Amino acid sequence: METTKLPPSSPSSPTTGFSVPSAEKVDGFPRRSMRRARQRRSHSSSQFRYQSSQVELTPLPLLKDAPVAELHDLFCKKLQQCCVLFDFLDCVADLKGKEIKRAALNELVESVATSRGVLIEPLYPEAIKMISVNIFRTLPPSENPEFDPEEDEPTLEASWPHLQLVYEFFLRFLESPDFQPSMAKRYVDQKFVLQLLELFDSEDPREREYLKTILHRVYGKLLGLRAYIRKQINNIFLRFIYETEHFNGVAELLEILGSIINGFALPLKSEHKQFLVRVLIPLHTAKSLSIFHAQLAYCVVQFMEKDATVTEYIIRGLLKYWPKTCTQKEVMFLGEIEEILDVIEPSQFIRVQEPLFKQIAACISSPHFQVAERALYFWNNEYILSLIEENCQVILPLVFATLYRVSKEHWNQTIVSLIYNVLKTFMEMNSKLFDDLTASYKVEKQKCV
Amino acid sequence: MTLTVVCFSIWLCLVSLYGLGTCLSKMAGADGDDSLYPIAVLIDELRNEDVQLRLNSIKKLSTIALALGVERTRTELLPFLTDTIYDEDEVLLALAEQLGNFTMLVGGPEYVHCLLPPLESLATVEETVVRDKAVESLRKISQEHSPVDLEVHFEPLVKRLASGDWFTSRTSACGLFSVCYPRVSSTVKAEIRQHFRTLCSDDTPMVRRAAASKLGEFAKVLELDYVKSDIISLFTALASDEQDSVRLLAVEACVSIATLLPQEDLETLVMPTLRQAAEDKSWRVRYMVADKFSELQKAVGPEITKNDLVPAFQNLLKDCEAEVRAAAANKVKEFCENLPEDSREQIIMTHILPCVKELVSDTNQHVKSALASVIMGLSTILGKDNTVEHLLPLFLAQLKDECPEVRLNIISNLDCVNEVIGIRQLSQSLLPAIVELAEDAKWRVRLAIIEYMPLLAGQLGVEFFDEKLNTLCMAWLIDHVYAIREAATCNLMKLVEKFGAEWAQNTIVPKVLGMANDPNYLHRMTTLFCINALSEACGQEITTKQMLPVVLKMSNDQVANVRFNVAKSLQKIGPVLDSNALQTEVKPVLEKLATDTDMDVKYFAQEAISVLALA
């Protein structure tokens, strides 16, 4: 589809950011080198408005010194103290306050992680409130509107020194043996989860890493939210595919889904099949596929291992969205096809072999040697080779003309010698068929001349 | 979509294609009539494996339909097309577009509803581009339905889409309500309103976004009472949606809704929501408010502007997010222009200008350059005295900005100031700024300033130009980047058009011709390019007497590129010369070049001979 994909007509244009300055687009092409040269802050913070009247923090007694009777009260006070937000873009502002909050957060993390019996019911709303106040915010516009996650340095979150501890606290909280899902579910609700998912768009990979683990824990412990989480991830993906083509956390969300799919019950529910066909397969059309392709291919293969009958959907879907102009993506697709063929059931293979090997033949004749090479490597795979051998009568006629022609014409010597090996393999597999095809190929050719 | 459905539709498509194709070939064969043969080929191509061929065929669908006639188009072609929906998105896009223009081909408005089934399927596909095109075509043909057909055929389709179980069909439905609403009975109208209401609170954000983006359009076709009762509550709900991508679309709708309501209702029905949007916690929503500010201002009228929008605009200009400030800065001029006249100057001076002053030294260059592109426009609004006293210092500061784009934006808008205070006020600061840009290390910056030269020359006058800028213009001719040399040549032509042939003869022609003896062949070629550009503006006299001899002499150049450019130049300036010069001077030289050892020289010489008809 990339040949026809127009810029999304979605009106949420602000995400596209600044237009390229006129001096840089005189010839219509913004220049990377110029973008680089632009002055850039290396940090950005996204807290919209800091509290206007900044509260002066005073250090509280240490948790470990507190008498048991006062422990919960003190814990609560520390949580409230940590709700105060600081301006990290001004790195010298209110250093004392920042230090007090940092120490308090450290203590909270330590306490939740090590001591038992701290998490009692009244603390849940306070803890969730502290987490919400700190982590939920509208992410800032990207410093670099053409941010390319593969090439550009991400903008890091300036308030990370505090944010990290808040995430750490949240994680320890969820992982604590005292954690009671039945109490938490009143505060970790759908609205909370939705905001959590939106944070996956953060440009800061450290933040996404925490979010990934946290969401995974939430999914694991709060059963009532599972369907909702899956649905919202679907929405994020669909928006990414069809509207904005921009979301930083696709790889992380796919990684979570990989393990979720692993746990699907059999037979697959239609909701899950729909997810495969309407979300996972179309995700292959994304321009930024390379960033999350490994995770995506993993999810796809997981589905096949769960239920072999989805194989045909998958292969036909990939063939439908086969890249037409981007060779880099073509190599990725071929890689994924090999992963799929590695676990394919022979009966399923027969259903897709014709269209599949037509595409593989097309790849072999690609003038880009990496594409041709990647396709020819299939013949080095024992299992794939055995499938080809079983279906030699069908496959050889599909690829023969291409192999023969490309072996004479390809500019790259490696490709030519790989093809000779493949032809040799075929000759050994079925010499009769091979000879017939050679003869008829020569006759065809004669006719053309 | 289940696998069986997919397979079934492929099967169907093959069957019907074979039917149609072979049937046509037979027709063509049996009658001995070859006229249908091309059509049979086109239909054949509809099932070709090659996408490009299918695409070509779809693009010629009207030809196929015309050949089949209206009846067979309705009974055979359309059902077949309805079944091809499982195809490449590219093909589907072309199909969706074609069907929008098919009314006459199915037999006119009476039969237009035949087009609905294929378009309905297309309106449910995943790919946004295809879906949008299908909706566009549906909107188009809705107008060709009679009121009865609209209720019998079109409206049920809208309902089906609106209650489809996958989000794509529901998003498509959002775009169809407003086209059928005005032409249906009141009971159906009530149903349509109900469907729209449901979609506004759909549980997928994609559908809510689609509904929000059509809210304004739908409001326009509703009766005022329903705007007040229905639309306002939907608007309020969408504007406080949990997702900012939905909220920001409500801002757009706000413009249309505010235009529809009588002034006295605005305060209670619209303003609370608008105020909330201007202070939304998401910068995207605030950006949208800033971006739509002029439209909002017009929609709510002068009183509300004075009381509400002025402070809101101030806040946006001071927003913590640069993106929002830049969007607001872009609107400064338009906002000021549209302020009510009685208090315009006072509002600008006391409320807007202080913010503008701060933006001049903003930390973000995009903000500064957005401001620089409009700030000059304020001078016409504020008049001479205020401009000199308050704006001039800002212009001068921006002319010295570290970012070249800011300076360029100021220079490119000089004409606004010129009208108010004359450019002389600025010329002392202008010159260093221009010189610096002219020598900028980035060639794109140099290119941009060259493009403003003719404008500057016009405003600064010939004297100032000769004295200060002429050397720059000549220096660009030997720039090491071709694009700059090319632009410099074009610039000279525009200057000659402005200052006249005599000026050219005295100031630039000698310098240009002097370069013909330069040791660098690129510079010698520049002479030729300049002559190409200037000959027409300079006229026959100068061209024949001064330029032609130089060109002819260069035909002996040892570099072949120069020689074939001589041939090209002669072809170009030929029409300006008189026939005597052509025959006696140009012809022999071209004939000699036509026997050159270099094949390119030969080629261009022969081309020139034939174009100038000298053979």
Side-chain angles (χ1 to χ4, degrees), chain A residues 1 4 11 17 21 23 26-27 31 139 231 242-243 274, chain B residues 89-90 126 128 166 203 209 249 283-284 323 405 444 447:
Chain A
M1 239 338 273
T4 56
V26 172
D27 60 356
R31 290 298 139 126
L139 295 168
K231 196 169 90 187
Y242 296 113
E243 293 184 15
Q274 180 155 313
Chain B
D89 292 325
E90 261 174 293
E126 246 82 18
T128 327
W166 188 241
D203 71 338
R209 276 195 288 275
L249 291 168
W283 62 270
R284 289 187 188 84
E323 199 122 353
E405 208 205 333
R444 283 181 176 74
L447 188 63

PDB file of all heavy atoms in Angstrom, chain A residues 1 4 11 17 21 23 26-27 31 139 231 242-243 274, chain B residues 89-90 126 128 166 203 209 249 283-284 323 405 444 447:
ATOM      1  N   MET A   1       0.803  -1.211   0.000  1.00  0.00           N
ATOM      2  CA  MET A   1       0.000   0.000   0.000  1.00  0.00           C
ATOM      3  C   MET A   1       0.832   1.255   0.000  1.00  0.00           C
ATOM      4  O   MET A   1       0.334   2.338  -0.190  1.00  0.00           O
ATOM      5  CB  MET A   1      -0.852   0.013   1.268  1.00  0.00           C
ATOM      6  CG  MET A   1      -2.339   0.060   1.059  1.00  0.00           C
ATOM      7  SD  MET A   1      -2.893   0.673  -0.491  1.00  0.00           S
ATOM      8  CE  MET A   1      -2.937   2.414  -0.115  1.00  0.00           C
ATOM      9  N   THR A   4       0.255   4.097  -2.479  1.00  0.00           N
ATOM     10  CA  THR A   4      -0.879   5.008  -2.550  1.00  0.00           C
ATOM     11  C   THR A   4      -1.131   5.710  -1.236  1.00  0.00           C
ATOM     12  O   THR A   4      -1.999   6.541  -1.154  1.00  0.00           O
ATOM     13  CB  THR A   4      -2.179   4.257  -2.901  1.00  0.00           C
ATOM     14  OG1 THR A   4      -2.344   3.239  -1.932  1.00  0.00           O
ATOM     15  CG2 THR A   4      -2.135   3.684  -4.271  1.00  0.00           C
ATOM     16  N   PRO A  11      -7.597  15.405  10.968  1.00  0.00           N
ATOM     17  CA  PRO A  11      -7.433  16.818  11.245  1.00  0.00           C
ATOM     18  C   PRO A  11      -6.573  17.092  12.462  1.00  0.00           C
ATOM     19  O   PRO A  11      -6.391  18.242  12.824  1.00  0.00           O
ATOM     20  CB  PRO A  11      -8.865  17.280  11.473  1.00  0.00           C
ATOM     21  CG  PRO A  11      -9.673  16.055  11.664  1.00  0.00           C
ATOM     22  CD  PRO A  11      -8.851  14.858  11.398  1.00  0.00           C
ATOM     23  N   GLY A  17       3.412  19.271  13.714  1.00  0.00           N
ATOM     24  CA  GLY A  17       4.389  20.240  14.170  1.00  0.00           C
ATOM     25  C   GLY A  17       4.646  21.372  13.201  1.00  0.00           C
ATOM     26  O   GLY A  17       3.836  21.677  12.346  1.00  0.00           O
ATOM     27  N   PRO A  21      10.867  25.514   7.651  1.00  0.00           N
ATOM     28  CA  PRO A  21      11.103  26.923   7.343  1.00  0.00           C
ATOM     29  C   PRO A  21      11.376  27.121   5.856  1.00  0.00           C
ATOM     30  O   PRO A  21      12.018  26.279   5.220  1.00  0.00           O
ATOM     31  CB  PRO A  21      12.356  27.248   8.158  1.00  0.00           C
ATOM     32  CG  PRO A  21      12.499  26.173   9.149  1.00  0.00           C
ATOM     33  CD  PRO A  21      11.778  24.989   8.639  1.00  0.00           C
ATOM     34  N   ALA A  23      13.302  28.871   4.116  1.00  0.00           N
ATOM     35  CA  ALA A  23      14.659  28.900   3.610  1.00  0.00           C
ATOM     36  C   ALA A  23      15.180  27.492   3.354  1.00  0.00           C
ATOM     37  O   ALA A  23      16.109  27.284   2.598  1.00  0.00           O
ATOM     38  CB  ALA A  23      15.577  29.601   4.592  1.00  0.00           C
ATOM     39  N   VAL A  26      13.373  25.473  -0.282  1.00  0.00           N
ATOM     40  CA  VAL A  26      13.357  26.144  -1.561  1.00  0.00           C
ATOM     41  C   VAL A  26      13.183  25.145  -2.695  1.00  0.00           C
ATOM     42  O   VAL A  26      12.408  25.337  -3.608  1.00  0.00           O
ATOM     43  CB  VAL A  26      14.649  26.944  -1.735  1.00  0.00           C
ATOM     44  CG1 VAL A  26      14.738  27.494  -3.128  1.00  0.00           C
ATOM     45  CG2 VAL A  26      14.683  28.066  -0.716  1.00  0.00           C
ATOM     46  N   ASP A  27      13.883  24.020  -2.584  1.00  0.00           N
ATOM     47  CA  ASP A  27      13.730  23.036  -3.638  1.00  0.00           C
ATOM     48  C   ASP A  27      12.765  21.935  -3.240  1.00  0.00           C
ATOM     49  O   ASP A  27      12.721  20.891  -3.850  1.00  0.00           O
ATOM     50  CB  ASP A  27      15.097  22.428  -3.993  1.00  0.00           C
ATOM     51  CG  ASP A  27      15.734  21.748  -2.791  1.00  0.00           C
ATOM     52  OD1 ASP A  27      15.138  21.828  -1.701  1.00  0.00           O
ATOM     53  OD2 ASP A  27      16.802  21.165  -2.939  1.00  0.00           O
ATOM     54  N   ARG A  31      16.235  19.552   4.431  1.00  0.00           N
ATOM     55  CA  ARG A  31      17.514  18.861   4.505  1.00  0.00           C
ATOM     56  C   ARG A  31      17.821  18.395   5.904  1.00  0.00           C
ATOM     57  O   ARG A  31      17.730  19.152   6.857  1.00  0.00           O
ATOM     58  CB  ARG A  31      18.650  19.802   4.054  1.00  0.00           C
ATOM     59  CG  ARG A  31      18.603  20.088   2.583  1.00  0.00           C
ATOM     60  CD  ARG A  31      18.784  18.803   1.799  1.00  0.00           C
ATOM     61  NE  ARG A  31      17.870  18.811   0.685  1.00  0.00           N
ATOM     62  CZ  ARG A  31      18.241  18.621  -0.588  1.00  0.00           C
ATOM     63  NH1 ARG A  31      19.483  18.404  -0.892  1.00  0.00           N
ATOM     64  NH2 ARG A  31      17.344  18.641  -1.539  1.00  0.00           N
ATOM     65  N   LEU A 139       1.904  14.762  26.687  1.00  0.00           N
ATOM     66  CA  LEU A 139       3.290  14.732  26.226  1.00  0.00           C
ATOM     67  C   LEU A 139       3.573  15.972  25.386  1.00  0.00           C
ATOM     68  O   LEU A 139       2.705  16.442  24.660  1.00  0.00           O
ATOM     69  CB  LEU A 139       3.548  13.459  25.418  1.00  0.00           C
ATOM     70  CG  LEU A 139       3.426  12.177  26.232  1.00  0.00           C
ATOM     71  CD1 LEU A 139       3.408  10.958  25.334  1.00  0.00           C
ATOM     72  CD2 LEU A 139       4.567  12.075  27.245  1.00  0.00           C
ATOM     73  N   LYS A 231      -8.678  -3.653  23.989  1.00  0.00           N
ATOM     74  CA  LYS A 231      -9.451  -2.807  23.074  1.00  0.00           C
ATOM     75  C   LYS A 231      -8.751  -1.466  22.862  1.00  0.00           C
ATOM     76  O   LYS A 231      -8.661  -0.971  21.735  1.00  0.00           O
ATOM     77  CB  LYS A 231     -10.856  -2.586  23.641  1.00  0.00           C
ATOM     78  CG  LYS A 231     -11.813  -2.059  22.599  1.00  0.00           C
ATOM     79  CD  LYS A 231     -13.251  -2.094  23.100  1.00  0.00           C
ATOM     80  CE  LYS A 231     -13.553  -0.796  23.786  1.00  0.00           C
ATOM     81  NZ  LYS A 231     -14.838  -0.753  24.445  1.00  0.00           N
ATOM     82  N   TYR A 242      -3.977   4.089  10.416  1.00  0.00           N
ATOM     83  CA  TYR A 242      -4.828   4.777   9.444  1.00  0.00           C
ATOM     84  C   TYR A 242      -4.896   6.282   9.628  1.00  0.00           C
ATOM     85  O   TYR A 242      -5.398   6.978   8.770  1.00  0.00           O
ATOM     86  CB  TYR A 242      -6.241   4.190   9.470  1.00  0.00           C
ATOM     87  CG  TYR A 242      -6.273   2.739   9.043  1.00  0.00           C
ATOM     88  CD1 TYR A 242      -6.593   1.726   9.930  1.00  0.00           C
ATOM     89  CD2 TYR A 242      -5.933   2.398   7.739  1.00  0.00           C
ATOM     90  CE1 TYR A 242      -6.599   0.394   9.534  1.00  0.00           C
ATOM     91  CE2 TYR A 242      -5.935   1.073   7.340  1.00  0.00           C
ATOM     92  CZ  TYR A 242      -6.266   0.083   8.231  1.00  0.00           C
ATOM     93  OH  TYR A 242      -6.256  -1.224   7.821  1.00  0.00           O
ATOM     94  N   GLU A 243      -4.450   6.812  10.750  1.00  0.00           N
ATOM     95  CA  GLU A 243      -4.606   8.247  10.921  1.00  0.00           C
ATOM     96  C   GLU A 243      -3.288   8.995  11.015  1.00  0.00           C
ATOM     97  O   GLU A 243      -2.991   9.855  10.200  1.00  0.00           O
ATOM     98  CB  GLU A 243      -5.481   8.551  12.148  1.00  0.00           C
ATOM     99  CG  GLU A 243      -6.927   8.094  11.940  1.00  0.00           C
ATOM    100  CD  GLU A 243      -7.837   8.474  13.095  1.00  0.00           C
ATOM    101  OE1 GLU A 243      -7.452   9.326  13.914  1.00  0.00           O
ATOM    102  OE2 GLU A 243      -8.931   7.895  13.189  1.00  0.00           O
ATOM    103  N   GLN A 274      -9.963 -11.317  14.827  1.00  0.00           N
ATOM    104  CA  GLN A 274     -10.167  -9.997  14.242  1.00  0.00           C
ATOM    105  C   GLN A 274      -8.959  -9.098  14.491  1.00  0.00           C
ATOM    106  O   GLN A 274      -8.516  -8.359  13.620  1.00  0.00           O
ATOM    107  CB  GLN A 274     -11.420  -9.379  14.854  1.00  0.00           C
ATOM    108  CG  GLN A 274     -11.718  -8.021  14.314  1.00  0.00           C
ATOM    109  CD  GLN A 274     -13.201  -7.713  14.460  1.00  0.00           C
ATOM    110  OE1 GLN A 274     -14.049  -8.509  14.129  1.00  0.00           O
ATOM    111  NE2 GLN A 274     -13.507  -6.549  14.989  1.00  0.00           N
TER     112      GLN A 274
ATOM    113  N   ASP B  89      -5.784  -1.729  -2.629  1.00  0.00           N
ATOM    114  CA  ASP B  89      -6.405  -0.463  -2.275  1.00  0.00           C
ATOM    115  C   ASP B  89      -6.320   0.560  -3.409  1.00  0.00           C
ATOM    116  O   ASP B  89      -7.210   1.378  -3.585  1.00  0.00           O
ATOM    117  CB  ASP B  89      -5.749   0.098  -1.015  1.00  0.00           C
ATOM    118  CG  ASP B  89      -6.073  -0.774   0.192  1.00  0.00           C
ATOM    119  OD1 ASP B  89      -7.192  -1.308   0.236  1.00  0.00           O
ATOM    120  OD2 ASP B  89      -5.210  -0.929   1.063  1.00  0.00           O
ATOM    121  N   GLU B  90      -5.237   0.461  -4.177  1.00  0.00           N
ATOM    122  CA  GLU B  90      -5.093   1.408  -5.289  1.00  0.00           C
ATOM    123  C   GLU B  90      -6.227   1.278  -6.288  1.00  0.00           C
ATOM    124  O   GLU B  90      -6.765   2.260  -6.781  1.00  0.00           O
ATOM    125  CB  GLU B  90      -3.788   1.104  -6.029  1.00  0.00           C
ATOM    126  CG  GLU B  90      -2.659   1.998  -5.654  1.00  0.00           C
ATOM    127  CD  GLU B  90      -1.386   1.524  -6.313  1.00  0.00           C
ATOM    128  OE1 GLU B  90      -0.933   0.427  -5.940  1.00  0.00           O
ATOM    129  OE2 GLU B  90      -0.872   2.231  -7.176  1.00  0.00           O
ATOM    130  N   GLU B 126     -10.844  -0.809   5.134  1.00  0.00           N
ATOM    131  CA  GLU B 126      -9.949  -0.293   6.168  1.00  0.00           C
ATOM    132  C   GLU B 126      -9.212   0.979   5.746  1.00  0.00           C
ATOM    133  O   GLU B 126      -9.082   1.919   6.487  1.00  0.00           O
ATOM    134  CB  GLU B 126      -8.900  -1.360   6.481  1.00  0.00           C
ATOM    135  CG  GLU B 126      -8.998  -1.927   7.855  1.00  0.00           C
ATOM    136  CD  GLU B 126     -10.045  -3.007   7.938  1.00  0.00           C
ATOM    137  OE1 GLU B 126     -10.457  -3.543   6.907  1.00  0.00           O
ATOM    138  OE2 GLU B 126     -10.453  -3.314   9.072  1.00  0.00           O
ATOM    139  N   THR B 128      -8.070   4.337   4.793  1.00  0.00           N
ATOM    140  CA  THR B 128      -8.750   5.625   4.919  1.00  0.00           C
ATOM    141  C   THR B 128      -8.965   6.323   3.584  1.00  0.00           C
ATOM    142  O   THR B 128     -10.023   6.893   3.350  1.00  0.00           O
ATOM    143  CB  THR B 128      -7.919   6.559   5.811  1.00  0.00           C
ATOM    144  OG1 THR B 128      -7.259   5.772   6.780  1.00  0.00           O
ATOM    145  CG2 THR B 128      -8.790   7.558   6.492  1.00  0.00           C
ATOM    146  N   TRP B 166     -18.053  -2.765  12.609  1.00  0.00           N
ATOM    147  CA  TRP B 166     -16.643  -2.376  12.608  1.00  0.00           C
ATOM    148  C   TRP B 166     -16.580  -0.858  12.459  1.00  0.00           C
ATOM    149  O   TRP B 166     -17.423  -0.260  11.800  1.00  0.00           O
ATOM    150  CB  TRP B 166     -15.909  -3.091  11.477  1.00  0.00           C
ATOM    151  CG  TRP B 166     -14.416  -2.916  11.494  1.00  0.00           C
ATOM    152  CD1 TRP B 166     -13.668  -2.336  10.517  1.00  0.00           C
ATOM    153  CD2 TRP B 166     -13.497  -3.296  12.518  1.00  0.00           C
ATOM    154  NE1 TRP B 166     -12.340  -2.338  10.869  1.00  0.00           N
ATOM    155  CE2 TRP B 166     -12.207  -2.923  12.086  1.00  0.00           C
ATOM    156  CE3 TRP B 166     -13.639  -3.914  13.774  1.00  0.00           C
ATOM    157  CZ2 TRP B 166     -11.060  -3.140  12.853  1.00  0.00           C
ATOM    158  CZ3 TRP B 166     -12.494  -4.133  14.534  1.00  0.00           C
ATOM    159  CH2 TRP B 166     -11.228  -3.757  14.082  1.00  0.00           C
ATOM    160  N   ASP B 203     -17.973   4.192  21.332  1.00  0.00           N
ATOM    161  CA  ASP B 203     -16.876   3.883  22.256  1.00  0.00           C
ATOM    162  C   ASP B 203     -15.511   3.789  21.579  1.00  0.00           C
ATOM    163  O   ASP B 203     -14.495   3.680  22.252  1.00  0.00           O
ATOM    164  CB  ASP B 203     -17.177   2.654  23.133  1.00  0.00           C
ATOM    165  CG  ASP B 203     -17.134   1.376  22.344  1.00  0.00           C
ATOM    166  OD1 ASP B 203     -17.292   1.478  21.110  1.00  0.00           O
ATOM    167  OD2 ASP B 203     -16.955   0.304  22.938  1.00  0.00           O
ATOM    168  N   ARG B 209     -13.963  10.902  16.642  1.00  0.00           N
ATOM    169  CA  ARG B 209     -13.231  11.927  15.876  1.00  0.00           C
ATOM    170  C   ARG B 209     -13.957  12.250  14.573  1.00  0.00           C
ATOM    171  O   ARG B 209     -14.101  13.418  14.206  1.00  0.00           O
ATOM    172  CB  ARG B 209     -11.813  11.429  15.557  1.00  0.00           C
ATOM    173  CG  ARG B 209     -10.834  11.654  16.688  1.00  0.00           C
ATOM    174  CD  ARG B 209      -9.407  11.499  16.219  1.00  0.00           C
ATOM    175  NE  ARG B 209      -9.033  10.112  15.938  1.00  0.00           N
ATOM    176  CZ  ARG B 209      -8.609   9.251  16.857  1.00  0.00           C
ATOM    177  NH1 ARG B 209      -8.494   9.635  18.115  1.00  0.00           N
ATOM    178  NH2 ARG B 209      -8.285   8.022  16.543  1.00  0.00           N
ATOM    179  N   LEU B 249     -10.961  18.633  17.749  1.00  0.00           N
ATOM    180  CA  LEU B 249     -11.854  18.736  16.598  1.00  0.00           C
ATOM    181  C   LEU B 249     -13.111  19.528  16.936  1.00  0.00           C
ATOM    182  O   LEU B 249     -13.708  20.160  16.073  1.00  0.00           O
ATOM    183  CB  LEU B 249     -12.233  17.345  16.104  1.00  0.00           C
ATOM    184  CG  LEU B 249     -11.069  16.593  15.463  1.00  0.00           C
ATOM    185  CD1 LEU B 249     -11.420  15.134  15.275  1.00  0.00           C
ATOM    186  CD2 LEU B 249     -10.703  17.219  14.134  1.00  0.00           C
ATOM    187  N   TRP B 283      -1.677  20.670  24.980  1.00  0.00           N
ATOM    188  CA  TRP B 283      -1.240  21.743  24.089  1.00  0.00           C
ATOM    189  C   TRP B 283      -1.846  21.611  22.712  1.00  0.00           C
ATOM    190  O   TRP B 283      -2.001  22.589  22.009  1.00  0.00           O
ATOM    191  CB  TRP B 283       0.284  21.771  23.988  1.00  0.00           C
ATOM    192  CG  TRP B 283       0.858  20.516  23.402  1.00  0.00           C
ATOM    193  CD1 TRP B 283       1.230  19.413  24.089  1.00  0.00           C
ATOM    194  CD2 TRP B 283       1.078  20.231  22.016  1.00  0.00           C
ATOM    195  NE1 TRP B 283       1.671  18.445  23.219  1.00  0.00           N
ATOM    196  CE2 TRP B 283       1.603  18.922  21.941  1.00  0.00           C
ATOM    197  CE3 TRP B 283       0.897  20.956  20.831  1.00  0.00           C
ATOM    198  CZ2 TRP B 283       1.928  18.322  20.736  1.00  0.00           C
ATOM    199  CZ3 TRP B 283       1.228  20.351  19.630  1.00  0.00           C
ATOM    200  CH2 TRP B 283       1.735  19.055  19.586  1.00  0.00           C
ATOM    201  N   ARG B 284      -2.234  20.405  22.287  1.00  0.00           N
ATOM    202  CA  ARG B 284      -2.808  20.242  20.955  1.00  0.00           C
ATOM    203  C   ARG B 284      -4.117  21.012  20.825  1.00  0.00           C
ATOM    204  O   ARG B 284      -4.409  21.595  19.796  1.00  0.00           O
ATOM    205  CB  ARG B 284      -3.073  18.769  20.650  1.00  0.00           C
ATOM    206  CG  ARG B 284      -1.818  17.977  20.442  1.00  0.00           C
ATOM    207  CD  ARG B 284      -2.121  16.567  19.979  1.00  0.00           C
ATOM    208  NE  ARG B 284      -0.920  15.771  19.958  1.00  0.00           N
ATOM    209  CZ  ARG B 284      -0.429  15.146  21.015  1.00  0.00           C
ATOM    210  NH1 ARG B 284      -1.065  15.207  22.162  1.00  0.00           N
ATOM    211  NH2 ARG B 284       0.686  14.465  20.932  1.00  0.00           N
ATOM    212  N   GLU B 323       5.062  25.577  20.391  1.00  0.00           N
ATOM    213  CA  GLU B 323       4.198  25.282  19.244  1.00  0.00           C
ATOM    214  C   GLU B 323       2.935  26.147  19.273  1.00  0.00           C
ATOM    215  O   GLU B 323       2.470  26.632  18.253  1.00  0.00           O
ATOM    216  CB  GLU B 323       3.831  23.800  19.298  1.00  0.00           C
ATOM    217  CG  GLU B 323       3.351  23.270  17.988  1.00  0.00           C
ATOM    218  CD  GLU B 323       4.200  22.107  17.491  1.00  0.00           C
ATOM    219  OE1 GLU B 323       5.235  21.810  18.099  1.00  0.00           O
ATOM    220  OE2 GLU B 323       3.825  21.512  16.505  1.00  0.00           O
ATOM    221  N   GLU B 405      16.124  32.844   9.015  1.00  0.00           N
ATOM    222  CA  GLU B 405      14.740  32.807   8.562  1.00  0.00           C
ATOM    223  C   GLU B 405      13.940  33.990   9.087  1.00  0.00           C
ATOM    224  O   GLU B 405      13.062  34.514   8.406  1.00  0.00           O
ATOM    225  CB  GLU B 405      14.093  31.499   9.008  1.00  0.00           C
ATOM    226  CG  GLU B 405      13.001  31.088   8.066  1.00  0.00           C
ATOM    227  CD  GLU B 405      11.987  30.199   8.735  1.00  0.00           C
ATOM    228  OE1 GLU B 405      12.358  29.502   9.701  1.00  0.00           O
ATOM    229  OE2 GLU B 405      10.838  30.215   8.307  1.00  0.00           O
ATOM    230  N   ARG B 444      20.747  27.891   0.402  1.00  0.00           N
ATOM    231  CA  ARG B 444      19.310  28.123   0.348  1.00  0.00           C
ATOM    232  C   ARG B 444      18.934  29.491   0.896  1.00  0.00           C
ATOM    233  O   ARG B 444      17.991  30.118   0.453  1.00  0.00           O
ATOM    234  CB  ARG B 444      18.569  27.040   1.136  1.00  0.00           C
ATOM    235  CG  ARG B 444      18.491  25.759   0.408  1.00  0.00           C
ATOM    236  CD  ARG B 444      17.736  24.729   1.223  1.00  0.00           C
ATOM    237  NE  ARG B 444      17.590  23.506   0.476  1.00  0.00           N
ATOM    238  CZ  ARG B 444      18.570  22.650   0.264  1.00  0.00           C
ATOM    239  NH1 ARG B 444      19.749  22.876   0.784  1.00  0.00           N
ATOM    240  NH2 ARG B 444      18.378  21.567  -0.439  1.00  0.00           N
ATOM    241  N   LEU B 447      19.818  31.914  -1.788  1.00  0.00           N
ATOM    242  CA  LEU B 447      18.802  31.834  -2.832  1.00  0.00           C
ATOM    243  C   LEU B 447      17.553  32.623  -2.445  1.00  0.00           C
ATOM    244  O   LEU B 447      16.979  33.349  -3.257  1.00  0.00           O
ATOM    245  CB  LEU B 447      18.444  30.362  -3.058  1.00  0.00           C
ATOM    246  CG  LEU B 447      17.537  30.058  -4.238  1.00  0.00           C
ATOM    247  CD1 LEU B 447      18.232  30.450  -5.523  1.00  0.00           C
ATOM    248  CD2 LEU B 447      17.183  28.588  -4.279  1.00  0.00           C
TER     249      LEU B 447
END
